[in-house]
Amino acid sequence: MVHHARSSILPKWYAEAKFLQSESMRMVSDATDNFIFGRIFRTPTNQEHRDGNHLRMSFCHLEFPWDCSGVLADPPCDIARIVRDIGVNRCTVDCTLVNGRVADSVLSGFEKTGFVCERNLEDYVMCLDTTTVTLTESQRVRRATEEDIAGVASCNARSFGYTDMSWLVEKLLRQLRQPDSFRVYALYIRERVAAFAVIYTPWEKSKDLAFVQVMGTDPEFRRQGLAYEVLAHAVALLPKGVRVYLEAVDPAAIALYEKLGFAVVGKAMSAECWLPSL
């Protein structure tokens, strides 16, 4: 393996954000392995959604190698063939810290193996320190219980255009049954869930981190400040001194999060690769 320069040592924001993202998936999945190079999975439903159905992913342990000081090493030259041979038809390749030449070589390998690759996808990683903000709780938001599953799952489906709700219900049930790790909030209007947020709190492993795993607003109730209201409520209930991470793409969403006190701390780069048979 050829090692990159020391500039490839993991930045703090990247290490913390990737830890939160992978752990929040692992906690509601049947069997997953964490690895740094990419999230390799198959999604039987909602294939068009980049992060798809976490409950039904087919994960592989393809660890991107690091040396003892945290310096990135080159991936296996035949990784695309390995992915295809084990039956994975879709994967997200994390290119954030990879040398451009290496990333291009890996993605070219996927293309030569029959994959279609969408390159240069950007996600802005944002962070808020609860010590620096004072946000207000809302009387319209409550901590969800199993009685709220149907309403929250339906709001989630409407927010993101899902047609299959079964996996959303199953995922939400797993989150609600781990209340120390997941805080699910629902904002009700006229006895209907109009907005929701799911906060992952990995406090058995790290008491000063939290992650906004997902949040959404029913299209019927958009442009009423509900996303701000439900997330402000969720963050207001976190202890002081917690760093809260989230990922955003849309400029309007970034502006919303900035109003809450989040700031962009890094930019994650990735590529989406899939077999056209999907």
Side-chain angles (χ1 to χ4, degrees):
M1 294 286 181
V2 178
H3 293 273
H4 299 300
R6 289 213 168 261
S7 60
S8 293
I9 294 177
L10 273 121
K12 180 179 179 180
W13 68 265
Y14 180 86
E16 291 186 338
K18 290 302 175 184
F19 159 75
L20 289 163
Q21 185 183 59
S22 61
E23 281 294 294
S24 65
M25 290 184 195
R26 184 187 64 79
M27 293 292 287
V28 294
S29 300
D30 292 315
T32 67
D33 290 307
N34 295 328
F35 53 94
I36 298 169
F37 170 64
R39 301 192 303 279
I40 310 299
F41 54 86
R42 179 192 300 120
T43 55
T45 59
N46 302 301
Q47 287 95 341
E48 73 281 3
H49 189 252
R50 283 178 54 193
D51 283 327
N53 180 348
H54 299 321
L55 292 176
R56 298 175 186 174
M57 288 181 183
S58 177
F59 276 81
C60 311
H61 190 81
L62 297 176
E63 184 172 327
F64 198 69
W66 304 79
D67 71 10
C68 59
S69 61
V71 178
L72 213 55
D74 289 333
C77 61
D78 58 348
I79 189 169
R81 180 190 58 77
I82 294 171
V83 169
R84 182 165 185 169
D85 287 352
I86 60 179
V88 175
N89 298 320
R90 192 180 188 93
C91 65
T92 300
V93 180
D94 184 355
C95 303
T96 307
L97 302 182
V98 183
N99 175 284
R101 174 189 58 79
V102 175
D104 185 67
S105 175
V106 169
L107 295 176
S108 295
F110 272 97
E111 290 168 338
K112 291 176 181 177
T113 312
F115 285 82
V116 175
C117 295
E118 184 181 1
R119 305 182 184 215
N120 300 318
L121 300 175
E122 298 180 346
D123 288 298
Y124 289 89
V125 178
M126 306 185 74
C127 185
L128 172 153
D129 187 331
T130 57
T131 305
T132 65
V133 298
T134 301
L135 297 170
T136 304
E137 298 175 36
S138 168
Q139 296 297 318
R140 299 194 294 181
V141 180
R142 71 184 190 215
R143 182 96 179 246
T145 67
E146 292 188 25
E147 294 180 354
D148 301 296
I149 284 180
V152 175
S154 179
C155 182
N156 192 343
R158 291 193 298 271
S159 298
F160 296 101
Y162 296 127
T163 56
D164 175 15
M165 268 182 43
S166 60
W167 67 275
L168 291 173
V169 171
E170 185 181 354
K171 181 177 180 179
L172 183 59
L173 182 62
R174 295 187 185 199
Q175 291 167 331
L176 290 171
R177 289 179 176 176
Q178 300 178 79
D180 292 337
S181 298
F182 292 95
R183 301 180 176 205
V184 182
Y185 295 96
L187 189 158
Y188 275 84
I189 294 179
R190 298 187 298 275
E191 299 184 353
R192 179 173 163 184
V193 179
F196 76 99
V198 179
I199 311 297
Y200 173 57
T201 52
W203 289 340
E204 286 188 1
K205 296 183 177 181
S206 180
K207 293 185 178 298
D208 59 355
L209 293 176
F211 179 57
V212 182
Q213 188 180 42
V214 63
M215 61 177 294
T217 303
D218 187 317
E220 184 178 327
F221 295 97
R222 285 178 181 163
R223 301 187 183 280
Q224 298 180 35
L226 303 189
Y228 181 99
E229 186 175 346
V230 70
L231 188 53
H233 178 95
V235 172
L237 292 174
L238 292 172
K240 294 297 183 182
V242 173
R243 293 186 300 284
V244 188
Y245 282 89
L246 57 79
E247 292 188 356
V249 179
D250 180 70
I254 293 173
L256 165 69
Y257 300 139
E258 288 176 337
K259 289 180 181 178
L260 285 159
F262 285 88
V264 174
V265 292
K267 183 168 66 174
M269 300 294 298
S270 63
E272 184 79 1
C273 303
W274 67 93
L275 290 173
S277 57
L278 289 175

